[in-house]
Amino acid sequence: MKKEFHEKQIKKGMNKTIFSFFVFFTICQLSAQDYYSALRNKYWIYEENDQKAFHYLNIYISKAKKEKNYAELFQAYDDAIRYSPNKKIEYADSAISAAKLSGNSDLIGSSYISKGAVYYFTYRKFQPALNEYLKAYEYTKNTDDEFLKYQNLYHIGVVKSYLGYYEEALQLFKSCNVYFKSKIKANIHPNLIKNHQKGYLNCLHQMIVCYQQLGNYTESEKLIKEGLDALPKDSFFNLEKSYFYKSEAITEFNKKSYLNSIQIFNKALPEFIKINDYTFASVIYYYRGSAYDELKNTEKALSDYKKVDSIFNKYQFILPELRNNYEKLITFYRNKNQPKEELYYTKQLLKADSIISTDFKYLSNRIHRDYDTKSLLEAQSNLEKTNSFGKFLLIFSFVVILVLILFLAYWLRKKKEIQIKYEELLEKISSKNTKIKENADLNKLTEKNSKIEIKTVQLLKSKFSDFEKNNGFLEKGITAGKLAIEFGTNATYISQFMNEYQGCNFNTYINKLRIDYATEKIYNNKLWQKYSVEDIALACGFSNRQSFSNLFYEQNGIRPADFLKKRKEEIRLKRVS
């Protein structure tokens, strides 16, 4: 009996010890969490980019590392992004590493969103931002945290919008808007309500931007009214209020209500200046300057145009829609006969075009309106000569006149030759019922005495037939080897097949298809008639303009630039008549 009693006492004591240890461990954990929260509260009072926050952040990071608490380490690095003025990318990378060590998919997704936000909001680097958001998407698309999921989709939509994919962006903003709006009156914490309100209002604003860029002003006006009506009377939403004022002012500008638009722009601008949102500040300066321009207030117009240039100089950033800002400055100083200023803004426009074409490659066709790269370079060259060699202007003018006289006869003869070649090409197009395709349908080719097996020949006929129908030849860098892998055969068979059934090698075959495609598009497609030769060459799979131009000339007897020009002239004459 004594032995049993003794064992029960020992067992009871062990249970108490285990329970006490569990309680102690739980308290320690809670205390640790309270410690991290206390640290966050210490530095959360500081403004963005205030390095005083690192007094507490470094303690936070050190403790999380020591405890191998990777979730908290992620949080520390993520917060460090906010307070670091010049190491945001480094801290974003550290946040990604910590999130990966935690094994939490939501944290990993959130870390990629943070890095994308740094690229977009701090550096205005659209393509790398989109890359990070797309990485985040892989981690957030199936998450239970819907806010995180739609937050990422919103960011993807923003970058797509700035890249010009307005239709795609619009669909993303619509889906995000439905989600955020549904949570505004949900039974959740007030702070979460505010976050969802911000999400809803920001989606409305981005939808307005898309509709305005697409020319759908009816829809944009509806959403502006909805946004202004939905704005809470809370300073927390001052930025969103400025977004809607800015959009409303652009609408008034498009209605030619210039005075009213200026007044509304003036209400929107202070908040953008306060948070250093130079994107929309530059938009306001451009449109307000244009409004002053329309009202013949040249002094204020120039002041605003120059503010856009100042932002561009400081941040090396400009939107495609603001390109016209420089064209207006160039025109103004040209009319004032001030070549020094004209040269400066011409150089600025060239620099802006270079940046735009890097970040917005596919938009390059739409932004070269009054000044394409070639004409700008020529203008720059002429202005530099004017500024550097003004004393010799008369001599140069005389030489130019002599040269023009010498080449006039040559030019007239060349023009006549181009017209003849153009007419011959039109005849060629007409004979094919406006669809250029010199190569016969591969499925209709009869088998010849070939070194290739009949089954392989039939396979290649079918594959090449689909290849032509699907415009596979437009892929840049395509080779017989790559196509052989795709067709499930080898490059030797493809080479033999080309020689036997097309009477040429693989490269010649691809180039013929590309030139035929380009010719047909230039002749029939109004959009393609607006493209430059460089853009057409790239769209058809060529690596550069020169090789495309040479092959086009070899096949059609006329340069693509001349063909484009003649086709435009022909269409214009038909309209007049």
Side-chain angles (χ1 to χ4, degrees), residues 28 37 53 70 72 102 108 114 116 166 200 202 219 236 275 288 291 305 318 369 439 464 485 513 562 567 572:
C28 286
S37 297
Y70 298 118
E72 289 295 344
S102 76
I108 298 171
S114 293
Y166 298 115
Y200 161 61
N202 278 285
E219 283 301 317
F236 186 68
I275 66 164
R288 193 175 70 177
Y305 292 151
I318 191 167
R369 297 188 187 105
N439 299 297
F464 273 109
I485 294 170
L513 290 176
D562 294 325
R567 181 59 180 153
R572 189 168 61 250

Side-chain angles (χ1 to χ4, degrees), residues 105 128 189 250 315 348 368 388 494 500 510 576:
S105 294
H189 193 279
I250 290 174
Y315 298 102
Q348 289 294 89
H368 291 285
S388 303
I494 286 182
E500 291 180 12
I510 293 295
V576 172

